[in-house]
Amino acid sequence: MVDRFNEALLVALALALGLLALLAFAQVIARYLLGAPLTWTEEFIRYALIWSVFLGVGITVRKGMLAAVEVINATVPPPLARILTWISLAISAVFWSVLIVYGWIILGNVEGMRSGALEIPMAYVYSAIPLGSVLALINTLVVTVAPPRADAELAVD
């Protein structure tokens, strides 16, 4: 179920990044050819990229694509490599949990604030932190049960 959700999310993120590229292109055209820059695109792109990173990190966790110290796993005996993998997963789970807690705290701190150009509540922007961290934590827990395949790095779908 998590993998199906991740696949749908990956498609949505790919489409969103394509849209962001078009918006960036439109901003360049408006600024340099028309002499009238769009006031909202830069802020929208910035916030959408933040959301894309936080939503996408869970997928990278599940596919085993986060930066890892493969040299250590390759040089130590397999039993020690498994122990180090479990330690790494535990540290990751703690990290995502801390981000969830502090992301929630940040939401309280930015209550009532609005963005400069778009005038959207900043809580919408900052909610990417706890939501993305929840997705990453879920994917980390799934990896503990069903580790990614060795060729998963090559299969970005």
Side-chain angles (χ1 to χ4, degrees):
M1 185 169 78
V2 172
D3 287 336
R4 276 187 249 124
F5 177 80
N6 285 344
E7 287 174 19
L9 181 59
L10 188 60
V11 169
L13 288 172
L15 292 172
L17 288 175
L19 174 64
L20 294 179
L22 289 174
L23 286 175
F25 183 70
Q27 172 68 1
V28 169
I29 297 296
R31 178 180 302 244
Y32 294 109
L33 293 181
L34 303 177
L38 303 170
T39 58
W40 59 274
T41 55
E42 182 182 341
E43 189 173 279
F44 181 82
I45 291 169
R46 183 181 325 117
Y47 296 152
L49 285 174
I50 291 168
W51 267 91
S52 297
V53 168
F54 275 100
L55 292 178
V57 73
I59 297 169
T60 60
V61 167
R62 178 66 181 115
K63 290 183 175 282
M65 296 175 67
L66 287 177
V69 185
E70 297 296 326
V71 175
I72 294 174
N73 278 344
T75 58
V76 298
L80 182 57
R82 281 191 294 278
I83 292 170
L84 292 174
T85 299
W86 280 97
I87 291 171
S88 172
L89 289 170
I91 291 170
S92 293
V94 168
F95 176 73
W96 301 127
S97 299
V98 167
L99 273 182
I100 292 167
V101 170
Y102 281 98
W104 192 258
I105 292 169
I106 288 171
L107 286 178
N109 291 338
V110 298
E111 188 177 336
M113 291 183 179
R114 294 195 165 273
S115 68
L118 294 172
E119 291 292 323
I120 60 171
M122 289 304 292
Y124 291 171
V125 177
Y126 283 97
S127 61
I129 299 169
L131 179 60
S133 299
V134 165
L135 295 175
L137 179 60
I138 290 169
N139 279 284
T140 300
L141 297 175
V142 169
V143 167
T144 62
V145 176
R149 300 184 325 265
D151 63 342
E153 283 190 44
L154 302 176
V156 180
D157 297 334

